[in-house]
């Protein structure tokens, strides 16, 4: 399924919610029918919204399953501070590709090749 790109802000649909009434009660995160039926907390709903965003209702449901299994494996394998570090590096790797057109995997291999030749330059932990 191809993701739709908008070249112009005029093409985007942004609903007008009008004036916000201060007395209105609202949730900090959207609530799905499934989330309400499962009695999910706002945290659970937000977590699954992020996971399922643009995936449910497509032919790519196997991708959701793979992502969910990956998340489960990550949280059972790494401590929270390590997960934060992995996430930060992943986001920086995306920036590296976008800004400098460099591939994280290729740069990592270059680093490993260099360290093989120059073990004295390996970073100490």
């Amino acid at each position: 399924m191809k993701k739709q790109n908008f070249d112009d802000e005029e093409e985007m649909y942004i609903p007008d919610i009008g004036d916000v009434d201060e007395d209105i009660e609202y949730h900090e995160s959207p609530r799905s029918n499934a989330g309400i039926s499962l009695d999910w907390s706002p945290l659970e709903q937000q977590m699954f919204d992020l996971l399922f965003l643009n995936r449910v209702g497509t032919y790519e449901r196997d991708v959701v399953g793979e992502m969910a299994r990956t998340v489960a494996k990550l949280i059972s394998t790494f401590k929270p501070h390590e997960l934060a570090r992995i996430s930060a590096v992943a986001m920086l790797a995306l920036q590296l590709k976008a800004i400098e057109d460099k591939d994280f995997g290729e740069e990592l291999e270059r680093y490993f090749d260099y360290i093989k030749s120059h073990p004295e330059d390996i970073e100490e932990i």
Side-chain angles (χ1 to χ4, degrees), residues 86-97:
I86 291 166
S87 298
V89 170
M91 294 307 299
L92 290 171
L94 290 173
Q95 284 188 296
L96 181 71
K97 182 65 177 171

Side-chain angles (χ1 to χ4, degrees), residues 9-74:
E9 287 185 19
E10 295 295 319
E11 295 180 34
M12 293 178 63
Y13 170 69
I14 302 173
D16 180 13
I17 61 170
D19 295 330
V20 178
D21 184 356
E22 290 182 16
D23 295 332
I24 195 167
E25 185 178 322
Y26 63 94
H27 295 283
E28 291 183 11
S29 63
R31 303 285 289 181
S32 69
N33 288 339
I36 291 169
S37 296
L38 294 170
D39 197 29
W40 278 349
S41 69
L43 175 62
E44 289 170 305
Q45 184 67 51
Q46 186 176 26
M47 180 176 62
F48 284 97
D49 284 349
L50 287 170
L51 181 64
F52 294 147
L53 190 64
N54 296 325
R55 299 287 184 194
V56 174
T58 72
Y59 59 90
E60 298 181 15
R61 288 184 185 218
D62 57 323
V63 173
V64 174
E66 184 177 327
M67 288 188 317
R69 286 187 296 277
T70 301
V71 169
K73 180 67 174 175
L74 284 169

